Amino acid sequence: MKLLLIGYGKMGRAIEAQAIARGHQIVGIVDPSRPDVRISDFTAVQVDAAIEFTHPDAAFQNVVACLRQGIPVVCGSTGWLHHFAEAQTLSQETGTPLFYASNYSVGVNLFFHFNEYIAAKMHQFGGYDVQVREIHHTQKVDQPSGTALTAAEGILRHFPAKTTWRNEATDTASELAILSEREGAVVGTHIITYSSPADSIELKHEAHTREGFVQGALLAAEWLPGRQGVFGMKDLLGL
């Protein structure tokens, strides 16, 4: 495939290395360090798919630029979802597919799947409170993480006692606490804890390297071209 990379930080470099190892071609890299290269320089004739991992402040405009150029785009940036409905509309208007995930790890998406199942069962039997805890490296900008938000949304859908979330500890029974910690070089750890006076149950995912995210993003880029609509990891994995 001919891939356009948008963002050339740690994830961008890791994606580049894995893409080349899988036999793909990197036709361009869009990044502030390369001001002469713009998304508007490329078209769907030159690019099979773009992979976008940048900053919350830049992600939406990057997605818009890809969609307007007719370039299928796989976006992994978080912190911009207040614009997501606009991106969906533009995808429909342009007939250009958009793939978004807060986390591209296959393991994390199985974690999301199990999270929703457990939330429904815990609500059914009652007597438990629930909270989400996420730990990331000190360079991570958005808080809570996109992965924590996706997990929280799954809980809110299946555990009706919680109606909203708060990014701190809370004594309000209807609020789901998301506790965010930033320390060292932690790649990403997410822990969902159900507690009752009698016991506690935890569902935990701990990323050891970025390889799982990279592999998932490349799988999405390989899967997306030729489709129409807005997709996520549940579509890719058949969950």
Side-chain angles (χ1 to χ4, degrees), residues 16-84:
E16 178 186 38
Q18 282 295 317
I20 292 171
R22 291 164 79 107
H24 300 312
Q25 177 188 359
I26 306 300
V27 297
I29 297 172
V30 178
D31 188 77
S33 64
R34 304 181 181 210
D36 294 337
V37 183
R38 299 176 296 274
I39 297 171
S40 58
D41 296 333
F42 300 90
T43 68
V45 174
Q46 302 159 287
V47 180
D48 294 314
I51 303 179
E52 202 274 357
F53 279 85
T54 62
H55 188 279
D57 294 338
F60 175 61
Q61 292 304 323
N62 290 335
V63 167
V64 166
C66 288
L67 296 176
R68 287 178 175 164
Q69 293 297 105
I71 299 172
V73 55
V74 172
C75 177
S77 299
T78 57
W80 65 277
L81 292 189
H82 50 295
H83 290 302
F84 194 68

Side-chain angles (χ1 to χ4, degrees), residues 94-163:
T94 61
T96 305
L98 165 63
F99 194 109
Y100 171 77
S102 62
N103 192 307
Y104 280 85
S105 162
V106 171
V108 160
N109 283 278
L110 292 173
F111 171 83
F112 291 151
H113 181 68
F114 300 144
N115 171 51
E116 295 191 9
Y117 175 82
I118 292 171
K121 288 298 181 184
M122 299 305 282
H123 168 70
Q124 178 183 344
F125 290 102
Y128 288 85
D129 197 14
V130 58
Q131 74 172 21
V132 178
R133 180 178 169 218
E134 56 101 350
I135 311 166
H136 282 87
H137 53 87
T138 54
Q139 295 178 348
K140 185 167 182 61
V141 177
D142 55 318
Q143 181 175 306
S145 69
T147 302
L149 288 176
T150 300
E153 289 163 1
I155 293 168
L156 294 180
R157 283 195 298 272
H158 296 278
F159 195 87
K162 300 295 184 183
T163 59

